[in-house]
């Protein structure tokens, strides 16, 4: 099945699109989670769709959602929550780890979350943006890797690529809000990140330890 050849009832969004509306990370959203009521059936569909993440909406009014990759269930993920907040026009999304607050600001949708909600990531800095762009694929090693470098440190502009390295079909993640959140928290500053082929992620840390993550969302397929 191709990225956008999906069954009825599933919307496909592109999250963290670039300024020209291109790129972004594909996201499948199952609007009625009751159609896949148990974890096994959800995992099977997520694997069949092949997106880096698929969201199952269990309560569209309260914003209760469940996130799956092709190989596992996630307690938190950035681009699925930004995309779902935009799609459902919600101010709060309910996760087991806590409530994620969302807002719309012009062309950008933002979520607010805590770094401790994010599954472990290795944030590896490279000497230049050119080195990040030249990576032929996942560097050797195990575990989730976020390769990044400054494009313009004074302006907070970052070049990044993401490699899950978890043994499923996702070799490289096009746009990763959770890793961007961790990097912003570590550096203690707002960032303008270009990831993958040209996706854009914005971040803004707050004094209370939370981080806002924002980007553009576009509808690719309405299910």
């Amino acid at each position: 099945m191709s990225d956008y050849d999906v069954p009825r009832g599933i919307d496909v969004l592109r999250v963290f699109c670039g300024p020209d509306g291109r790129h972004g990370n594909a996201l499948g959203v199952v609007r009625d989670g009751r159609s896949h009521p148990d974890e096994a059936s959800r995992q099977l569909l997520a694997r069949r769709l092949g997106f880096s993440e698929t969201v199952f909406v269990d309560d569209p009014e309260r914003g209760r959602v469940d996130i799956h990759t092709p190989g596992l269930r996630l307690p938190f993920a950035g681009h699925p929550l930004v995309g779902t907040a935009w799609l459902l026009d919600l101010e709060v999304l309910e996760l087991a780890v806590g409530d994620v607050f969302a807002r719309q600001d012009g062309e950008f949708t933002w979520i607010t979350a805590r770094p401790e909600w994010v599954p472990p990531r290795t944030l590896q800095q490279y000497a230049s943006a050119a080195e990040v762009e030249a990576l032929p694929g996942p560097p050797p090693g195990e575990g989730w890797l976020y390769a990044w470098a400054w494009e313009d440190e004074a302006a907070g502009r970052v070049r990044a690529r993401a490699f899950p390295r978890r043994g499923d079909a996702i070799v490289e993640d096009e746009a990763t809000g959770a890793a961007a959140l961790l990097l912003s928290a570590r550096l203690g500053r707002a960032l303008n990140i270009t990831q993958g082929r040209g996706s854009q992620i914005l971040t803004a840390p707050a004094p209370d330890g939370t981080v806002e993550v924002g980007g553009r969302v576009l509808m690719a397929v309405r299910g």
Side-chain angles (χ1 to χ4, degrees):
M1 157 174 305
S2 70
D3 281 354
Y4 301 114
D5 180 15
V6 298
R8 293 188 62 184
I10 299 176
D11 293 324
V12 181
L13 314 179
R14 290 190 294 113
V15 184
F16 298 130
C17 296
D20 58 1
R22 299 172 62 211
H23 308 302
N25 203 351
L27 172 70
V29 180
V30 182
R31 283 181 178 263
D32 186 355
R34 294 173 300 178
S35 63
H36 294 78
D38 57 81
E39 186 167 347
S41 64
R42 293 181 176 193
Q43 200 60 71
L44 181 63
L45 179 63
R47 187 163 55 249
R48 179 187 175 204
L49 294 175
F51 300 128
S52 58
E53 280 98 15
T54 297
V55 171
F56 297 84
V57 180
D58 290 323
D59 189 329
E61 294 184 358
R62 297 182 59 179
R64 186 176 298 143
V65 298
D66 189 27
I67 307 168
H68 286 258
T69 76
L72 71 157
R73 183 173 183 264
L74 293 179
F76 173 88
H79 99 272
L81 297 175
V82 170
T84 305
W86 174 87
L87 179 67
L88 301 180
D89 193 22
L90 293 173
E91 295 182 355
V92 181
L93 296 169
E94 290 188 0
L95 299 174
V97 293
D99 289 346
V100 174
F101 295 94
R103 66 181 178 91
Q104 309 292 327
D105 180 14
E107 63 182 322
F108 295 99
T109 299
W110 296 81
I111 62 167
T112 299
R114 306 200 67 86
E116 55 265 32
W117 294 347
V118 179
R121 303 277 194 270
T122 297
L123 309 177
Q124 183 173 336
Q125 184 177 4
Y126 284 72
S128 68
E131 285 189 36
V132 173
E133 292 176 355
L135 290 171
E142 297 181 357
W144 223 104
L145 175 69
Y146 199 59
W148 72 278
W150 290 113
E151 282 189 322
D152 183 338
E153 186 172 357
R157 291 176 52 214
V158 167
R159 182 70 174 99
R161 292 173 66 189
F163 303 100
R165 299 193 301 192
R166 60 192 174 208
D168 61 20
I170 308 301
V171 176
E172 181 170 352
D173 202 24
E174 172 61 26
T176 315
L181 184 157
L182 288 180
L183 184 60
S184 188
R186 174 180 292 184
L187 297 175
R189 58 182 297 184
L191 301 175
N192 182 345
I193 300 170
T194 300
Q195 186 180 325
R197 297 169 299 163
S199 301
Q200 183 180 26
I201 306 170
L202 304 179
T203 70
D208 65 356
T210 61
V211 178
E212 272 200 309
V213 178
R216 302 175 190 82
V217 185
L218 294 175
M219 177 72 74
V221 174
R222 183 175 293 280

